[in-house]
């Protein structure tokens, strides 16, 4: 089974802190994604990466950056956390070669910014 | 990606078939229909996808109408663990993000 793990299930940070959310997948997938999920807004794409050292902005990249130094790891960085970044963060990966949009999701990190 | 329309909620008795409808009247020729579900406090989980033929796997069956404007996800013998939000998504092969709408909340009861 494909496994996508995220570093924390729950995280509480203070406004202005730098926050790192880590995502690791064990199936050698090229593509990785970061979404956030908020009530009434569904899942929204923050950033995605087609492969190592590649990154593309999604629909809501403001206030976030990402890092993909190794194929299995995709990190989401909140440079200076704000209360409006309180959300559920979901990481996903996808095997590029099969050409289908079958994404495998991690369990999510619920981040609270105080 | 095309927009989909799903009922807000549905109920199903344990052991019975759950039939979840989805309308995607503006789907284009190269777009697939994907179904995902999200159990409370977990990440979404892929269920099945199809282009125009009916599809079946170990989790579910997908019935797509001939004009491709609607589809139905069938869970043949629903269990309590199938209680979740089910999302119908239309996406092409080159698509990146999955655009999740509000989905259908399926409640399976004993």
């Amino acid at each position: 089974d494909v496994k996508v793990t995220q570093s924390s299930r729950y995280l509480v940070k203070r406004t202005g802190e730098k926050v790192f959310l880590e995502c690791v997948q064990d199936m050698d997938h090229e593509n990785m994604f970061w979404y956030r999920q908020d009530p009434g807004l569904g899942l929204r794409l923050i950033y995605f990466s087609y492969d190592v050292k590649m990154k593309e902005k999604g629909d809501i990249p403001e206030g976030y950056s990402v890092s993909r130094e190794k194929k299995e790891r995709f990190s989401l960085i909140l440079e200076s956390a704000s209360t409006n970044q309180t959300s559920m963060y979901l990481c996903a990966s996808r095997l590029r070669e099969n050409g289908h949009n079958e994404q495998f999701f991690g369990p999510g990190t619920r981040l609270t910014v105080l | 990606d095309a927009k989909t329309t799903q009922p807000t909620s549905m109920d199903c008795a344990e052991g019975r078939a759950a039939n979840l409808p989805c309308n995607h009247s503006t789907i284009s020729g190269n777009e697939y229909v994907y179904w995902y579900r999200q159990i409370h406090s977990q990440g979404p989980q892929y269920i099945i996808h199809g282009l125009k033929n009916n599809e079946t796997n170990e989790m579910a069956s997908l019935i797509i109408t001939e004009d491709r404007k609607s589809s139905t996800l069938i869970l043949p013998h629903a269990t309590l663990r199938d209680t979740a939000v089910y999302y119908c998504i239309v996406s092409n092969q080159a698509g990146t993000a999955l655009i999740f709408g509000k989905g259908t909340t399926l409640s399976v009861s004993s």
Side-chain angles (χ1 to χ4, degrees), chain A residues 24-35:
Chain A
V24 177
Q25 50 94 4
D26 66 358
M27 284 301 289
D28 206 34
H29 285 177
E30 290 87 1
N31 303 163
M32 295 187 75
F33 306 82
W34 275 106
Y35 296 86

Side-chain angles (χ1 to χ4, degrees), chain A residues 17 27 64 72 87:
Chain A
E17 280 192 79
M27 284 301 289
Y64 303 95
E72 67 271 18
S87 185

Side-chain angles (χ1 to χ4, degrees), chain A residues 3-5 22-32 51-52 67-75 91-93:
Chain A
K3 195 167 184 182
V4 179
T5 57
E22 304 287 343
C23 175
V24 177
Q25 50 94 4
D26 66 358
M27 284 301 289
D28 206 34
H29 285 177
E30 290 87 1
N31 303 163
M32 295 187 75
D51 213 327
V52 177
S67 173
R68 182 103 182 265
E69 295 297 316
K70 293 185 177 181
K71 194 173 188 179
E72 67 271 18
R73 187 179 298 269
F74 191 33
S75 303
C91 174
S93 72

Side-chain angles (χ1 to χ4, degrees), chain A:
Chain A
D1 281 352
V2 175
K3 195 167 184 182
V4 179
T5 57
Q6 295 182 229
S7 50
S8 306
R9 289 302 306 272
Y10 300 94
L11 206 54
V12 179
K13 295 292 182 181
R14 295 206 174 273
T15 301
E17 280 192 79
K18 191 169 186 175
V19 181
F20 293 86
L21 301 182
E22 304 287 343
C23 175
V24 177
Q25 50 94 4
D26 66 358
M27 284 301 289
D28 206 34
H29 285 177
E30 290 87 1
N31 303 163
M32 295 187 75
F33 306 82
W34 275 106
Y35 296 86
R36 62 178 283 177
Q37 184 173 27
D38 301 287
L41 296 176
L43 274 78
R44 293 178 291 167
L45 181 67
I46 305 171
Y47 267 96
F48 62 96
S49 169
Y50 281 121
D51 213 327
V52 177
K53 297 193 185 294
M54 296 174 70
K55 59 184 179 183
E56 297 286 339
K57 293 180 180 179
D59 298 321
I60 50 165
E62 297 78 19
Y64 303 95
S65 62
V66 290
S67 173
R68 182 103 182 265
E69 295 297 316
K70 293 185 177 181
K71 194 173 188 179
E72 67 271 18
R73 187 179 298 269
F74 191 33
S75 303
L76 180 70
I77 303 153
L78 286 65
E79 298 291 342
S80 177
S82 64
T83 54
N84 63 12
Q85 292 178 309
T86 291
S87 185
M88 169 70 89
Y89 289 88
L90 289 156
C91 174
S93 72
R94 178 180 71 185
L95 180 64
R96 183 177 62 193
E97 289 171 1
N98 67 13
H100 288 302
N101 215 342
E102 180 181 346
Q103 296 186 18
F104 296 85
F105 285 82
T109 295
R110 186 165 295 281
L111 173 67
T112 301
V113 182
L114 302 175

Side-chain angles (χ1 to χ4, degrees), chain B residues 5-20:
Chain B
T5 304
Q6 299 177 252
T8 302
S9 63
M10 295 183 67
D11 296 318
C12 181
E14 190 176 22
R16 303 298 295 268
N19 298 287
L20 291 87

Side-chain angles (χ1 to χ4, degrees), chain B residues 30-108:
Chain B
N30 65 343
E31 289 180 318
Y32 287 71
V33 179
Y34 286 81
W35 283 83
Y36 281 74
R37 73 179 182 183
Q38 188 172 22
I39 295 169
H40 182 62
S41 296
Q42 296 183 23
Q45 175 191 24
Y46 165 83
I47 302 172
I48 198 167
H49 74 278
L51 182 63
K52 55 184 177 181
N53 297 321
N54 298 338
E55 301 287 345
T56 295
N57 64 19
E58 65 278 3
M59 289 181 69
S61 294
L62 174 60
I63 309 298
I64 303 174
T65 57
E66 193 169 342
D67 64 6
R68 300 206 330 119
K69 292 184 177 182
S70 65
S71 60
T72 301
L73 178 75
I74 301 171
L75 307 179
H77 304 288
T79 70
L80 299 178
R81 287 179 291 184
D82 292 322
T83 292
V85 180
Y86 286 78
Y87 298 97
C88 169
I89 301 165
V90 172
S91 176
N92 60 36
Q93 286 184 297
T96 51
L98 294 167
I99 300 175
F100 287 77
K102 295 187 175 164
T104 296
T105 298
L106 175 68
S107 299
V108 181

